[in-house]
Amino acid sequence: MRIVCPFCGERELGEFTYLGDAKPVRPVAGASEDEVFDYVYLRDNIAGDTSEYWYHGGGCRAWLKITRNTLTHEISAVEPAAGVGARLAAK
């Protein structure tokens, strides 16, 4: 699989690190135990198009939001993931 970085162009998969599903939203402070449990442990196993976060550590070091088909691994969209680094640093 090759990923077309919007900053560096087409690159090998080995330059990137997969973070995970881009859809879950972290619960707010003071959220219930059930909300935190759902956020941490419950994920959909999507067969088809999904939105994911990837880190281009072997290149520009940018966080990217990639739309990828989990059945075919075809990538239909790659865009900069605004604010992902700041959200991860806050964890």
Side-chain angles (χ1 to χ4, degrees), residues 41-77:
Y41 295 108
L42 300 181
R43 296 283 192 262
D44 293 330
N45 189 11
I46 298 171
D49 286 342
T50 185
S51 203
E52 305 168 332
Y53 287 129
W54 288 75
Y55 178 64
H56 193 185
C60 61
R61 297 182 183 175
W63 282 99
L64 305 174
K65 187 174 180 182
I66 296 177
T67 303
R68 179 178 69 91
N69 186 298
T70 58
L71 298 173
T72 64
H73 297 294
E74 179 184 356
I75 294 173
S76 58

Side-chain angles (χ1 to χ4, degrees), residues 26-49:
R26 186 180 181 138
V28 296
S32 72
E33 188 174 318
D34 287 340
E35 290 174 310
V36 174
F37 179 88
D38 290 352
Y39 170 75
V40 173
Y41 295 108
L42 300 181
R43 296 283 192 262
D44 293 330
N45 189 11
I46 298 171
D49 286 342

